[in-house]
Amino acid sequence: MDKLLSGRRVLVVEDEMLILIMIEDMLVDLGCESVTAAATVSQAVALIEAEIFDVAMLDMNLNGDNSYVVADALAARDVPFVFSTGYSGHDMRDGHRHRPVLKKPFMEKDLTEMLRCLLAP
């Protein structure tokens, strides 16, 4: 049976190690070929400039820094992404209000449905 992320490369931008590990486990369960992680805005932007990703998950707050620069870099390369946050998501900047938000904590089924929507043809 084909898995949702079979052969896909995913970027996860998350600064909390335990949450990152949980997300990586979920992505592996979904058949993800490659999970690349970044914990800071600068790391994420460097990875986006150097590699190709099929989809990304982006924490809205990275150790006190908002992640809109990362969102802009992903959008410029037409990489679909979802914001993940423990906040309400109502304070999103113009230009990203239409982006999907996955509210933390989330379950694997929530992540699966969000990725299915992002990767739909």
Side-chain angles (χ1 to χ4, degrees):
M1 178 173 85
D2 253 356
K3 293 198 174 194
L4 175 64
L5 294 177
S6 183
R8 305 282 188 151
R9 296 177 48 85
V10 179
L11 173 64
V12 179
V13 183
E14 174 62 60
D15 61 343
E16 295 290 335
M17 186 57 68
L18 290 177
I19 294 172
L20 174 61
I21 291 168
M22 177 195 73
I23 292 170
E24 287 176 329
D25 287 346
M26 289 179 186
L27 293 172
V28 167
D29 287 347
L30 293 171
C32 187
E33 175 182 306
S34 169
V35 178
T36 303
T40 67
V41 170
S42 60
Q43 286 175 346
V45 171
L47 286 167
I48 293 164
E49 290 173 352
E51 298 184 36
I52 296 172
F53 298 100
D54 297 299
V55 68
M57 292 186 65
L58 177 56
D59 188 355
M60 289 180 71
N61 180 345
L62 298 169
N63 200 23
D65 293 329
N66 73 51
S67 58
Y68 293 129
V69 171
V70 180
D72 292 341
L74 290 166
R77 286 160 181 79
D78 292 323
V79 177
F81 66 92
V82 58
F83 283 108
S84 60
T85 184
Y87 302 109
S88 69
H90 294 306
D91 58 344
M92 296 200 29
R93 186 182 79 187
D94 287 340
H96 294 292
R97 292 186 194 280
H98 68 287
R99 299 290 179 181
V101 176
L102 193 56
K103 185 92 166 94
K104 294 177 189 175
F106 54 85
M107 297 176 61
E108 188 168 336
K109 67 182 177 81
D110 302 319
L111 176 60
T112 301
E113 185 56 35
M114 182 63 67
L115 292 174
R116 191 175 312 284
C117 291
L118 284 173
L119 295 169

